[in-house]
Amino acid sequence: MKKPIVNDPLEALLGAAGAHQDGWPAAQRRAAEVEMARVLKTAPVQMASDPANGAIAHWKHGALHDVVEPMADHVIMAYPTGVQRLERRSGKSLATGTARPGVVTIIPAGSSSKWDIPGPVDVIQLYLPRTTLERVAREADASAPGELLERTGHPDAITSSLLMSAADVLDGNSSLDALFRQQLTDLLATRLLAAHTGTAVTFEPAVGGLSPHALRRTIERLRSGNDADVSLAELASDAGLSRFHFCRAFKDSTGLSPHAWLRQQRLERAMNMLRDTDASIELVAAELGYASQTAFTAAFKKLTGNTPSDWRRRIR
């Protein structure tokens, strides 16, 4: 995640917090991003939100000594850099841990606790709707999930790596970024169900890919350039599968996740335009759906090791 969000988001979030507290029943839980803005007293470096999938936010905040009130969504945290002590009190219970790469912290929806963090923290947070855990468990033909366990600096390199990848893969391309967030949310939900509930859910390995017709139709939609066509929910529905089973079947058929396949296809289109036309880098970026030439250049260099201009000069 590279670009700061704008338009004074902290004021907007804190305004929402005040309206919620004054105008809604006391038992109503706050949205996670609203409660985090209140206690952290800053704005996120960046936040990407999807009403159907929750939100991912990157925060850099200072010391914290406050009560985190009950939130509507589960909050899962990973720490890209730094080392910091964490203390969490719930009633007479005290949990301690260390914020560092490779660990996670989980605040289950509806829980409340007093936090003491003596210094600065760099943290990626996922706000995961309860309904997402239930949907993923249902789609996997698993039993109803147990409650998420509270975790404070708990070692889990898999969950940590998945969540921190959100900070590195958002490319400034709306369809690619949305598809990535949708996949990431479902992957994280699967991991949480397997490792962080009172009753762990077991997932059966994938068996079989998409039918030839479904695969052909999926690839047509991915190539269409229409953001609505590349929604994970729409792709899965068109194939007659749940999101959970669609992602597994697509990867079994192609060797790639839907996001990785679409990113590769966009890269090939970019290379063709750079090699075969005199279109400007800015025009290529716009044609492929990137928000800016800068975003396209960064994404292209990440995948090829060269900027688009350098690659064009070399290939010609």
Side-chain angles (χ1 to χ4, degrees):
M1 295 182 180
K2 306 170 185 67
K3 297 183 293 184
I5 58 177
V6 294
N7 298 328
D8 200 2
L10 178 60
E11 181 179 344
L13 288 173
L14 291 178
H20 188 142
Q21 187 174 29
D22 295 338
W24 291 12
Q28 182 68 47
R29 299 167 184 174
R30 287 194 181 116
E33 62 267 29
V34 171
E35 178 62 6
M36 284 294 148
R38 183 188 71 81
V39 298
L40 300 180
K41 298 178 175 60
T42 188
V45 177
Q46 188 173 4
M47 182 166 64
S49 181
D50 181 339
N53 296 282
I56 297 170
H58 184 186
W59 301 82
K60 292 186 178 183
H61 65 84
L64 170 63
H65 305 283
D66 203 345
V67 174
V68 175
E69 300 291 348
M71 292 176 282
D73 297 330
H74 304 300
V75 179
I76 298 88
M77 309 183 201
Y79 307 93
T81 62
V83 176
Q84 188 58 259
R85 179 174 172 79
L86 307 171
E87 287 192 4
R88 171 190 202 160
R89 295 179 184 272
S90 301
K92 295 182 178 180
S93 174
L94 171 64
T96 63
T98 301
R100 56 179 175 79
V103 307
V104 297
T105 292
I106 299 175
I107 304 177
S111 68
S112 179
S113 50
K114 169 69 164 58
W115 286 83
D116 287 293
I117 304 175
V121 176
D122 181 12
V123 59
I124 307 294
Q125 297 183 347
L126 170 70
Y127 308 138
L128 184 70
R130 296 172 65 100
T131 52
T132 297
L133 279 184
E134 294 165 359
R135 173 182 58 78
V136 171
R138 184 172 63 253
E139 290 177 356
D141 300 320
S143 58
E147 291 299 317
L148 275 188
L149 301 174
E150 290 191 346
R151 302 293 200 192
T152 307
H154 181 84
D156 182 349
I158 295 173
T159 303
S160 174
S161 178
L162 281 171
L163 188 47
M164 287 196 295
S165 69
D168 298 326
V169 181
L170 297 185
D171 292 325
N173 183 301
S174 59
S175 56
L176 275 173
D177 292 351
L179 187 57
F180 172 74
R181 289 196 303 273
Q182 292 158 16
Q183 287 183 197
L184 179 69
T185 299
D186 282 12
L187 278 172
L188 280 162
T190 301
R191 174 62 183 172
L192 293 169
L193 287 166
H196 297 287
T197 61
T199 303
V201 174
T202 301
F203 296 90
E204 295 298 324
V207 178
L210 295 172
S211 70
H213 172 76
L215 180 60
R216 183 169 59 252
R217 175 62 178 158
T218 296
I219 288 174
E220 287 173 357
R221 291 177 70 104
L222 287 170
R223 285 176 169 160
S224 72
N226 185 336
D227 286 0
D229 275 352
V230 299
S231 156
L232 188 55
E234 291 298 323
L235 290 169
S237 176
D238 196 49
L241 297 171
S242 68
R243 283 170 52 157
F244 178 86
H245 288 295
F246 170 77
C247 285
R248 291 185 164 206
F250 184 88
K251 189 168 186 178
D252 189 73
S253 293
T254 67
L256 297 170
S257 70
H259 170 264
W261 190 97
L262 182 59
R263 185 178 60 182
Q264 182 65 31
Q265 189 264 346
R266 296 279 174 92
L267 175 64
E268 291 172 1
R269 283 180 58 194
M271 288 177 167
N272 289 339
M273 292 183 70
L274 291 169
R275 183 186 61 241
D276 301 334
T277 77
D278 293 323
S280 67
I281 306 301
E282 183 178 11
L283 181 61
V284 175
E287 179 70 19
L288 296 179
Y290 285 89
S292 67
Q293 180 178 332
T294 300
F296 168 64
T297 297
F300 189 92
K301 186 174 183 180
K302 185 186 299 181
L303 293 172
T304 67
N306 295 283
T307 67
S309 297
D310 289 343
W311 189 89
R312 172 180 265 171
R313 281 193 294 269
R314 185 173 59 83
I315 203 69
R316 288 181 169 183

